[in-house]
Structure formats: C-alpha cells, structure tokens
Amino acid sequence: MTWLWSNISRIFEYLDQGGLVMEPLLLISVLMWVLIIKRGLYLRRMRVRNMPREMAAQLIQENQQPDFMEFRGATALVVSEFLKRREANPGVDRSTMDETVMAVASSFDKQLSVITVLASIAPLLGLLGTVLGMISTFDVISLHGTGNARAMAGGISEALISTQTGLLVAIPGLTMKNFLASRAQTLKHRVSSLGIFLGRRL
C-alpha cells in the first residue's frame, strides 16, 4: 500500500512539474487509448468466428439472419445488413449488396481519424508547454539574472517534461493507429471479395 501511494504521489509531482499543459495531455491520452482499445476489440471481433462463404450465401437464399451467438465476424455482419435492406428483386439486390459492402467497409475506419487527431495534438501541446516553460525561465532571468539556478531549473524542467509527455502520448498513439488502419484495410479487402462472391449468387 505504501508503494502504491508513493507511485501516485510521484505521478502527481510529475504532472505538477510539467505545468498547465499536463492535464490536457493526460485527458487526451486517456481518451485516445479508450478509442484505440474499443476499435481494436471491434476489428478483432470482425476477424474471428467468421462463417464460411457458402453458409452466408445459403442464409441469403433462405432469407435467414445469421446466429450472432455462433458467428460474430464481418461475414455475418454483411449478411445481416443485406437482409435488412434487400427488396427481393435480383437486379436491385445486387446494388443493395454493393451498398451494404460499402457501408460495412466504411465502418472499419470509424474513430481512426479521431485517434489520429488526438495523437497529433499531443506533441503540439507539448510544444506549447515548452514555450510556456521557456517564458517562465526568461521571466526568472529578467528578475534575478542567471544567479538563481533553482528558479531557472523550474521553467526548464516544465519545458522538457511537457515536450517529453507530448511525444510519449503521440508516438504510441500514431503507431497503434497505423496498426489498426492496416487491420481495417485487410478486412475491407475480405468484405469486398465476399460482396463479389455473394453478388454472383443472387
């Protein structure tokens, strides 16, 4: 318990040393990682427990919704969304299938742009903290000269900590965004291929 409180106090001390931008950086970091985890779990769910294409085609022919307790992947989602939109007209159904595939594929990219924006804002906030820290340092120099090293160190510490934190938030965030975008692109290819396969069966 003492170890826990010691680490918590160090975190608060670190945030305090970083200045005004640390709280927005912390908020951005938490929000960004919540979105990353949610998107990662969603894309993983789309990749696993997929039904075979032949079963998907059979469900469409029988106009029967898939069992989401057994199949949770992208194939089941395409079948379910298509059955909600179909009009029992083969010509119209092919267009409906294309629209369904586009809608499902676009859902894979949701929140990725928000993650990118949050990760891009973080180093800018860190840069703002650098500027504020250097302004504080120059204020000390203007009042006391270069003789008060302790007061100068506070401003320099604020500048460096805020910059460091901004980069620590941004680099993993952008890395995870690119990873999720790659997963989403793979799913888009699979869904497009599935749409062509099912379209031929209509």
Side-chain angles (χ1 to χ4, degrees):
M1 197 67 177
T2 305
W3 175 84
L4 177 62
W5 284 113
S6 175
N7 283 308
I8 291 175
S9 64
R10 287 179 183 176
I11 291 172
F12 280 109
E13 183 181 350
Y14 180 82
L15 294 174
D16 185 58
Q17 289 175 349
L20 296 174
V21 301
M22 296 299 285
E23 290 183 6
L25 278 172
L26 181 62
L27 180 62
I28 285 174
S29 178
V30 170
L31 178 58
M32 182 185 71
W33 280 103
V34 167
L35 294 177
I36 287 172
I37 292 170
K38 285 180 62 179
R39 187 74 344 206
L41 292 174
Y42 175 78
L43 294 177
R44 182 182 182 279
R45 190 169 72 246
M46 291 294 103
R47 291 175 60 246
V48 300
R49 296 173 70 176
N50 265 314
M51 67 172 61
R53 289 181 172 187
E54 291 74 15
M55 182 180 293
Q58 182 179 354
L59 289 175
I60 287 176
Q61 290 174 358
E62 297 173 356
N63 203 34
Q64 181 179 346
Q65 286 283 350
D67 182 6
F68 282 102
M69 295 298 293
E70 185 177 0
F71 302 106
R72 299 183 181 181
T75 304
L77 180 61
V78 169
V79 172
S80 177
E81 291 298 319
F82 170 75
L83 292 178
K84 292 176 184 176
R85 303 179 185 203
R86 77 180 309 179
E87 298 181 11
N89 184 320
V92 176
D93 281 353
R94 290 189 182 92
S95 298
T96 303
M97 177 60 73
D98 293 338
E99 292 174 3
T100 303
V101 167
M102 291 178 61
V104 172
S106 65
S107 71
F108 300 146
D109 286 331
K110 283 183 179 179
Q111 300 176 344
L112 292 183
S113 58
V114 179
I115 294 170
T116 304
V117 169
L118 292 174
S120 301
I121 288 174
L124 297 178
L125 279 174
L127 180 60
L128 176 61
T130 303
V131 173
L132 294 175
M134 295 311 297
I135 289 174
S136 176
T137 302
F138 289 132
D139 285 342
V140 170
I141 292 174
S142 66
L143 291 174
H144 306 286
T146 58
N148 193 341
R150 179 173 295 181
M152 289 174 57
I156 296 173
S157 176
E158 177 182 340
L160 295 177
I161 288 175
S162 59
T163 304
Q164 178 190 45
T165 305
L167 293 174
L168 288 174
V169 172
I171 293 173
L174 290 174
T175 301
M176 289 303 300
K177 180 266 173 184
N178 290 332
F179 172 76
L180 294 174
S182 175
R183 288 291 180 91
Q185 192 63 33
T186 301
L187 283 170
K188 285 180 185 179
H189 289 314
R190 290 183 183 179
V191 166
S192 297
S193 176
L194 174 67
I196 294 172
F197 175 82
L198 294 177
R200 292 172 179 169
R201 298 295 185 93
L202 294 174

